[in-house]
Amino acid sequence: MEQENGNAEIAHKTKERSEKEYKDLMNRLKRIEGQVRGIQGMLEKDAYCADVLIQVAAVNAALNSFNKALLAEHVRTCVADNIRAGNDEVIDELVVLLQKLMK
């Protein structure tokens, strides 16, 4: 972490994604966004609680599916590339990530 003018500057990692991966992830997120907007509409129309809860469960499942796809790609690319380059610290980073995802 570098200090500049007394403010901590945080370095963020980035990842270049293939056009296919990018489009797939964005499409998933747009569908999830649509589902959330649908839930908002249900509330505006005083939908029955159980019906809303079922839609919320569907959004949770879609987010879990998004996470699985992103995590798989992360392991195949970022983690594998770092290990091949001799950066074994990425394994500890992956362990911490998995612990956070499993809360």
Side-chain angles (χ1 to χ4, degrees):
M1 202 163 44
E2 296 178 18
Q3 293 270 337
E4 186 174 291
N5 298 331
N7 295 326
E9 190 176 293
I10 299 172
H12 294 282
K13 295 179 182 179
T14 60
K15 159 86 162 87
E16 286 191 34
R17 292 179 172 79
S18 69
E19 188 173 337
K20 181 187 180 313
E21 179 189 4
Y22 175 80
K23 283 184 177 180
D24 176 57
L25 292 172
M26 289 301 289
N27 286 337
R28 287 173 182 261
L29 287 176
K30 287 177 183 179
R31 281 194 303 272
I32 293 166
E33 181 182 22
Q35 288 176 296
V36 171
R37 289 183 193 274
I39 294 169
Q40 290 172 327
M42 292 175 76
L43 289 177
E44 289 168 355
K45 295 175 184 169
D46 297 323
Y48 187 61
C49 298
D51 295 335
V52 175
L53 289 167
I54 289 169
Q55 291 306 310
V56 171
V59 169
N60 283 332
L63 283 169
N64 285 335
S65 179
F66 177 88
N67 275 350
K68 288 177 196 175
L70 187 57
L71 178 61
E73 190 62 24
H74 177 62
V75 171
R76 285 188 199 103
T77 58
C78 301
V79 174
D81 291 345
N82 273 280
I83 290 171
R84 287 186 198 108
N87 180 10
D88 290 340
E89 293 170 7
V90 73
I91 295 170
D92 293 331
E93 179 184 273
L94 179 61
V95 169
V96 169
L97 174 63
L98 292 172
Q99 290 171 341
K100 288 179 179 179
L101 292 174
M102 292 180 170
K103 283 187 176 181

